[in-house]
Amino acid sequence: EIFEKEIEGLPQSEFFFNLIQINPKDFSRFFKTHKNIIFVSSVEKDSYSKNKWAKDQIVIYLNRDSKEIEFLKSCKKTFNFLNRKELENIKYNYEKGHYKKARLYIKEEFGFELFLPTEYTISLKKKGLFISDFHSFNEKQDLLKYIIVHEFEPTSYDLQEEIISRTDSIFKRHILGSIKDSYVQIDNRVPLIENNGVYRGLWILKNGFMGGPIIIKTRYIENKVVVSLGIVFYPNEKKRDFVRTFEAIL
């Protein structure tokens, strides 16, 4: 229930982690190459170690003999730890290799660092707005991704509603579909889920037939709200890795 928690804001069911449960006697060399390993036993105390059998590996020990409420707390703490480490590792990988001109521009224009993956193309740069995209299309896949940054001075007490309306306004002007009069909008049929300034939800193509997940991250920088967001279109395929990347780098 804890480690196979579903990622919110996806059009289909996908989990934060895929669990493989095995007996200790079957814990072979093959399993020792996994990045995240959890031992649940009555022998070990709650603890963890790094790089025990492989690089960038976390091995965690959970004591099963503690009271149930304490054991659940340990599981939730472990989940949060692994979740945070995964995002840190994703961000670190893009820090090592990213679109440096885009990072410098965003830092100068908006006041924060965004490590844009090198496969993206910058399609628009102007005061208060940055748009980049990636499109890979062939007979086997149709993958479309956007990363957008914009800013505004808040004028409404309802910040979420203002974020939605201003983002939708940018989508309507700049993120258009191939069908006449079609454009991207946040799907208002599904409420955005907010946690620590990060919004999850879905987008749709108005007057069209596309959709997918959207991740929106907000920051207060001086007197402005800076919004960085990512959307992906990848029909009939899993979108977990794209959403996790947005979470890490936005």
Side-chain angles (χ1 to χ4, degrees):
E1 291 178 359
I2 294 172
F3 291 99
E4 279 195 326
K5 180 181 176 183
E6 287 190 17
I7 299 176
E8 297 175 306
L10 289 181
Q12 66 261 77
S13 176
E14 295 188 56
F15 303 108
F16 277 91
F17 299 106
N18 295 320
L19 262 61
I20 303 171
Q21 184 176 343
I22 60 171
N23 293 317
K25 63 181 178 64
D26 298 319
F27 186 63
S28 62
R29 182 182 299 178
F30 168 77
F31 291 106
K32 290 181 179 181
T33 63
H34 281 64
K35 297 295 184 184
N36 301 321
I37 300 172
I38 302 175
F39 289 98
V40 181
S41 75
S42 59
V43 179
E44 301 283 352
K45 295 181 178 180
D46 287 0
S47 61
Y48 78 95
S49 63
K50 296 180 178 180
N51 307 323
K52 186 166 185 175
W53 293 294
K55 186 179 178 182
D56 298 326
Q57 182 184 71
I58 300 291
V59 178
I60 293 172
Y61 300 90
L62 296 178
N63 187 288
R64 73 180 187 197
D65 287 348
S66 57
K67 293 180 180 179
E68 182 177 356
I69 190 170
E70 296 300 322
F71 181 68
L72 290 175
K73 284 182 180 178
S74 295
C75 288
K76 290 176 181 177
K77 184 178 179 180
T78 300
F79 171 87
N80 291 332
F81 174 71
L82 293 177
N83 182 45
R84 188 175 67 252
K85 291 298 293 183
E86 180 180 47
L87 294 177
E88 288 174 355
N89 288 339
I90 293 171
K91 186 174 182 179
Y92 175 71
N93 287 332
Y94 283 110
E95 286 179 3
K96 292 191 297 183
H98 60 273
Y99 198 154
K100 292 182 179 179
K101 287 185 178 179
R103 174 177 60 83
L104 294 173
Y105 176 81
I106 292 170
K107 177 70 174 177
E108 182 178 340
E109 181 70 19
F110 299 98
F112 77 102
E113 285 194 312
L114 194 159
F115 299 97
L116 187 73
T118 54
E119 70 261 27
Y120 281 78
T121 299
I122 299 173
S123 53
L124 179 63
K125 290 192 301 182
K126 70 176 188 178
K127 184 66 177 176
L129 179 60
F130 171 91
I131 299 177
S132 62
D133 66 272
F134 170 84
H135 193 191
S136 174
F137 177 79
N138 55 50
E139 61 183 14
K140 293 184 178 180
Q141 73 167 19
D142 188 5
L143 171 59
L144 179 62
K145 301 182 290 183
Y146 280 91
I147 287 179
I148 299 172
V149 184
H150 67 93
E151 64 182 12
F152 63 91
E153 294 185 17
T155 59
S156 168
Y157 289 108
D158 190 338
L159 180 60
Q160 178 171 316
E161 182 57 38
E162 192 165 10
I163 290 168
I164 292 172
S165 63
R166 291 180 179 272
T167 299
D168 275 345
S169 177
I170 290 169
F171 283 156
K172 189 172 183 178
R173 292 196 306 270
H174 301 290
I175 313 301
L176 309 178
S178 57
I179 302 171
K180 184 181 179 182
D181 298 326
S182 63
Y183 52 89
V184 168
Q185 295 279 268
I186 296 171
D187 190 346
N188 58 19
R189 299 170 300 178
V190 182
L192 290 178
I193 301 165
E194 189 270 339
N195 184 27
N196 293 324
V198 178
Y199 298 83
R200 302 170 182 272
L202 298 174
W203 64 270
I204 57 172
L205 188 69
K206 285 283 189 180
N207 305 315
F209 305 98
M210 296 171 65
I214 180 171
I215 296 286
I216 302 172
K217 188 174 289 189
T218 58
R219 297 173 174 85
Y220 280 98
I221 299 179
E222 297 178 352
N223 63 332
K224 295 181 179 180
V225 175
V226 178
V227 177
S228 54
L229 65 91
I231 66 173
V232 60
F233 174 70
Y234 199 29
N236 304 316
E237 301 291 342
K238 293 184 180 298
K239 301 166 186 67
R240 176 198 184 278
D241 291 347
F242 302 112
V243 169
R244 297 295 280 166
T245 297
F246 291 151
E247 284 185 85
I249 68 175
L250 290 176

